[in-house]
Amino acid sequence: MKITPDVFEAYLKCSTKCWLRANGIVCNENHYAEWVKERNATYREVGTGRLVAAAPSDDVSSTPHIENAKAAKWRLACSLEVQSQMDSHVMESEIHMTERVSVIGRGKAAQFIPIHFIFKNKLTKDDKLLLAFDAFVLAQALKRGIAVGKIIHGDENAAFKVKTSTLAGEVRKRLVKISALISSPAPPDLVLNRHCAECEFQARCRKKALETDDLSLLAGLGSKERQKLRSKGIFTVTQLSYTFRPRRRPKRMRDKREKYHHSLKALAIREKKIHIVGSPELKIEGTPIYLDVEGVPDRDFYYLIGLRIGNGENAVQHSLWADTVEDEGKIWREFLAILETVENPVLIHYGSYETIFIRRMRERYGQPDEDSAAASRLVAALNLVSVIFARVYFVSFTNGLKEIAGSLGFAWSDSTLSGAMSVVQHFDWTASRKPAVKQALIIYNAEDCSALEVVVNKLLELNQTSLPAEISLTGEFVDAEEMKRQHPYGFKRNTFAFPDLNAINKAAYWDYQRERIYVKSNKRLAGLFSKKPKGLNIMIPNRTIEYARPAFCPKCDSPAIFKHTKSRKMVIDLLFMRHGIKRWITLFLFHNYQCQNCGAVFHPQEESLGRGKYGQNLIAYAVYLIVELRLPQIQVDAMFYRIFKLYLPSASCSQRFKMQAANRYRASCQKILQRLCSGHLLHVDETKISIRGKNGFVWVFTNMVEVVYFYSETREGEMIQTLLSNFKGVLVSDFYTVYDAIQCPQQKCLIHLIRDLNDDVLKRPYDEELRWIVSNFSALLKSMVETIDQHGLKCRFLKKHQVDVDRFYRKLMVTELKSEMAGKTKERLVKYRNKLFTFLEFDGIPWNNNNAERAVKSFAALRHIIAGVTTEKGIRDYLILLSLCETCKYMGLDFLDFLRSGEEDIHIFAESRRGRRRIPE
């Protein structure tokens, strides 16, 4: 097969297009592709004629041959045909024009410069590579290097030089891939991309993609993501739809934009329902103006501005047409004048094309008056994509306006018109000036405005039915956060319409049949279930302790006592050895005695016998597994039976261990809270927990060495403000307003702040005022962080930055800001000025709240195990034990050693011999 410029150009756009062209498959169903081909041919013909007319006739060759090109005398050659060989494929090209430049000097060969004609005003890398392909083939044929080529393009016939020698290596790599591609008898995997709108095979490929339900139907799904999905066996949109799993967003992500889920898009298509993530809010407080602009992207010329003012039948449509580039400023001024006549206008558009249009028009024709309504509305123009993206998933493969509006029932009068075809139509009008062509473009633009209105109305309808109950009733919307969260590998529970069906289904469970049905006909199973498990009640003591006769009565001190009855007690415990753990049973033998003097009956002291059936080590180890290793209680009980042959029935014993430990350490936890509330530094944070369908909140107080958690039913700050009413240290927190009422020095978490500022900049990349504020604030904070890295949190090194802070705020206060977001950022920085840089005035005060966030993460890991299955009392017990566990970590102590020690105060334990044995880092 031959590799021609057409084949090479097709590969730059799409592998499938390259294979089809190389195999001679022709398809002419895309009028835009035909128009581009005709325009390039016409531009080449006119450009060639112009160069030939400008050169002497002796310097031009209209029938050049590559064989005698080295010795030729011509300076310009038209349509030079060249061929060369690469592996098993022939490379062939017809160079539009070739310039031969003689080099002065004896023995120096002439240089050849290939010339390419392209009608577009803007060039792309693909255009340069196409010229480099011609140069590569020419170099192979002449067996000499081609260093430079030219592209003549655009309305001004501009000549652009391309260093083809630097692109030769890239061209060679592409040719190797093309050779392997076209040698295959089967076409490559079908992939739809952005070039499809301009491709002659568009209809053919899309039809095939719809038949196979191909993943590339989903716009925005990259090649790497598709390959990753295919490696997992996911090849279709329908298959992808079953992979979506609704998840609760972590607290740290609640203020950030949700990422785009292609699996949720696929689910919306499969179920034919609009799916919603989060709370997409669209508020139109005023008169809506739907804006759609038509232009020639290649020339940055805007010839039609469409405005639809109002809604429904009362809406007014304005179509502002520019015949020439000179009329562009005129329709812009008309556009501004219309905005001035509308009361409280709200400008709405779809996509970045109109955003760029507004910016360029303001640059070309000046800003409107600052006090005018038009100026403020241009700045606050609403791009509807920002409301929809990653929040609302319509029943469409892409987020294009035409697909979304089409899925909502809107139809265009001329279905053949598109963004690309409007360029063709405008070119035809420029050439013919036919009123019918102009009218078709105006109608197309007006219908785009109407389609935009349809999408906005649907979003407003969504806001009106935003409650989960109402969404489920309408059936048209699905709230992703209300979808049932199921484990991807779990088994589905069936819901039956009749109780009899449910009873029949229960009779088919494996356990039921094995224990109730099969045992009646299978002797072996009957024998297995009739035997009791061995070893459950066999408790051979490892140690026996027999108590001696007491000397006197503990009540009256009389020595006249005698034996009353004989008793025994067995204590089950664990023995921790140097390299392991074993079960340890202690048997206590003793007599009860009666006093002849007072008649009292007594036995040896309870402390010497132990206070319960289970020993301290066993309880400590169970609590360690539940709290620090985060094992569910039922698994802890199963482990005790499997390893130690200790039967602890149905998690009740582990729960009792947890309750006993929590009661024992409750006072110790309260002491930690008192020390934190009277210290010089306190980090505070909170997080949500669901307890059997009821929401509650867990708060964390911490400093550098201690942590305490406690529970409250609401997030209101009355309890926190009461606890910290006498706190005189520095409070480090996020920007939750409850903390603002606490009367003490405060340090707001600057990490939270810079994340918020960064998100604002990313959402508004063209807001130069906002970028200025964030840039200066970042530079200010960076210098402080560098000082902290060098000297630590010492105010004698940090206080020098106070001058920089004052300078920053003086500059901020005198700067007039027009941007709404920049103004809000300024207000926030000014409001919290006295709480952003408190760490400059005190020793040892961090500038972020990472201590508290780290403690919250530890609770979040435990919450994953206990959420939904515990009670309010149970969560309070968990929090007491977790407080001690995390405090041990902060102090470098072993939590299990602390529990086994019998000590209730962590600080006393830390000073003991066992406490000095720190856990490894």
Side-chain angles (χ1 to χ4, degrees), residues 571-574 584 612-621 657 660:
V571 177
I572 304 171
D573 204 355
L574 299 178
W584 191 260
K613 180 179 179 181
Y614 301 100
Q616 178 64 31
N617 284 339
L618 178 62
I619 296 175
Y621 191 55
F657 292 161
Q660 290 176 3

Side-chain angles (χ1 to χ4, degrees), residues 337-542:
I338 292 174
L339 286 184
E340 292 290 346
T341 62
V342 180
E343 182 180 357
N344 195 17
V346 179
L347 202 59
I348 305 171
H349 61 88
Y350 198 92
S352 61
Y353 190 76
E354 283 74 17
T355 304
I356 297 172
F357 157 76
I358 293 173
R359 188 181 73 246
R360 285 178 176 168
M361 293 298 100
R362 295 170 71 180
E363 292 172 354
R364 291 177 188 176
Y365 306 109
Q367 299 278 4
D369 295 336
E370 295 182 0
D371 298 332
S372 65
S376 60
R377 294 308 171 183
L378 289 177
V379 173
L382 174 62
N383 184 357
L384 205 60
V385 175
S386 64
V387 179
I388 293 174
F389 184 77
R391 292 191 179 100
V392 184
Y393 293 80
F394 287 95
V395 187
S396 60
F397 289 109
T398 72
N399 275 340
L401 177 62
K402 288 180 175 54
E403 280 212 39
I404 291 179
S407 69
L408 299 177
F410 186 84
W412 277 258
S413 57
D414 186 354
S415 59
T416 62
L417 266 178
S418 62
M421 283 304 300
S422 67
V423 176
V424 179
Q425 291 277 62
H426 183 263
F427 179 80
D428 291 345
W429 178 84
T430 304
S432 64
R433 299 282 173 162
K434 292 181 179 179
V437 178
K438 175 180 177 180
Q439 186 61 27
L441 286 171
I442 292 175
I443 293 174
Y444 168 71
N445 175 262
E447 290 177 344
D448 277 356
C449 295
S450 299
L452 182 57
E453 179 190 354
V454 170
V455 177
V456 169
N457 288 337
K458 181 59 66 174
L459 292 174
L460 292 175
E461 179 185 345
L462 167 63
N463 286 340
Q464 294 171 359
T465 59
S466 58
L467 295 176
E470 294 180 1
I471 289 178
S472 61
L473 288 175
T474 59
E476 186 178 3
F477 302 113
V478 176
D479 189 349
E481 294 183 355
E482 297 298 322
M483 294 172 63
K484 185 177 181 181
R485 294 171 174 84
Q486 296 180 344
H487 194 277
Y489 306 108
F491 295 96
K492 181 180 178 182
R493 291 284 183 180
N494 296 308
T495 302
F496 294 98
F498 301 99
D500 292 345
L501 295 178
N502 190 34
I504 294 170
N505 181 69
K506 285 184 177 180
Y509 281 121
W510 185 84
D511 290 337
Y512 180 90
Q513 294 190 98
R514 189 174 175 84
E515 298 176 11
R516 298 284 188 90
I517 307 300
Y518 297 153
V519 294
K520 297 177 181 178
S521 56
N522 190 313
K523 294 182 179 180
R524 182 174 176 274
L525 289 178
L528 287 176
F529 285 104
S530 64
K531 294 179 180 179
K532 295 182 179 180
K534 296 181 179 180
L536 293 182
N537 298 320
I538 301 176
M539 293 290 183
I540 300 176
N542 301 97

Side-chain angles (χ1 to χ4, degrees), residues 818-829:
K818 300 177 182 178
S819 166
E820 180 180 357
M821 181 52 65
K824 290 181 179 179
T825 304
K826 177 181 177 180
E827 291 177 5
R828 185 179 185 185
L829 292 175

Side-chain angles (χ1 to χ4, degrees), residues 52-86:
V52 169
S57 58
D58 296 339
D59 291 346
V60 179
S61 174
S62 57
T63 57
H65 296 282
I66 191 63
E67 292 79 5
N68 57 4
K70 295 181 181 179
K73 300 299 181 182
W74 47 261
R75 189 174 65 85
L76 290 175
C78 303
S79 303
L80 178 63
E81 296 182 356
V82 291
Q83 276 191 356
S84 64
Q85 189 76 22
M86 183 176 178

